[in-house]
Amino acid sequence: LMPPTLFAGASDDFSHILVSSHERFTEDAPDLGFEFMLYEWVNGELTLASVAPDGTPMVGSVSGVRPISADGSRLYWQPLAAEGPLYLREGGTSRLVSKRQTDDSDATAGFLVASRDGSTAYLRSADRLTADASAVGFDLYRYDADSDEIVDLTPESEGASGAGVQGVVGTSLDGDIVYFVAEGALAP
């Protein structure tokens, strides 16, 4: 049996604390039964963090490494723990990270890791977020929060059968370097 409230993360100094709960702690939290919502505690005030860009409260969770930045200003969250739309919450609002460049439509992705300041995030998706994405399997993408741009680090190459990205095994704290595992042959 899952406890009603779980610690979900915090900024380095614990000035921002994330909790996941199926309890309604704020008036704007919907009654979703046993579905978990994501809350953020800042300076003694608890707010619902799992809010879509249009303001709709929704289920929410965090996963991966460093979903919240060191200073707590950036938070990567998803409605589902594994794969689903990926959002960045910053300044009290959320924006969609996992959108297709071709038409800005929602896509599913799995959050993997963010840089210490949250400016760079890595995610994997099989939903072809960029025009050069592999036709099959998971590609690895780098998201730049400052420019709101996404780049496929494992694009389709001639004769390839997809990157087949399994996950990230490490990154530098600034997010400039990433080590990952993939099934595809990505280098000569």
Side-chain angles (χ1 to χ4, degrees), residues 65-66 113 122 140 167-173 175 177-181:
V65 179
R66 288 191 296 270
V113 64
Y122 292 94
L140 179 67
V168 167
V169 293
T171 62
S172 58
L173 289 176
I177 300 170
V178 62
Y179 299 94
F180 62 97
V181 176

Side-chain angles (χ1 to χ4, degrees), residues 140-155:
L140 179 67
Y141 296 90
R142 181 180 57 230
Y143 174 74
D144 183 312
D146 296 326
S147 65
D148 193 33
E149 293 180 356
I150 197 162
V151 174
D152 190 339
L153 299 179
T154 56

Side-chain angles (χ1 to χ4, degrees), residues 8-9 18 62-69 74-77 111 114:
L18 302 175
V62 293
S63 63
V65 179
R66 288 191 296 270
I68 186 169
S69 62
R74 291 179 169 141
L75 165 66
Y76 291 92
W77 67 277
F111 174 78

Side-chain angles (χ1 to χ4, degrees), residues 84-97:
L86 176 62
Y87 298 99
L88 169 61
R89 185 160 179 83
E90 184 175 26
T93 60
S94 296
R95 65 179 141 156
L96 182 65
V97 170

Side-chain angles (χ1 to χ4, degrees), residues 16-38:
H16 296 249
I17 298 174
L18 302 175
V19 293
S20 187
S21 181
H22 57 77
E23 300 289 338
R24 292 187 66 224
F25 290 136
T26 61
E27 288 187 21
D28 61 340
D31 184 3
L32 299 173
F34 287 103
E35 297 288 341
F36 280 80
M37 293 165 282
L38 189 63

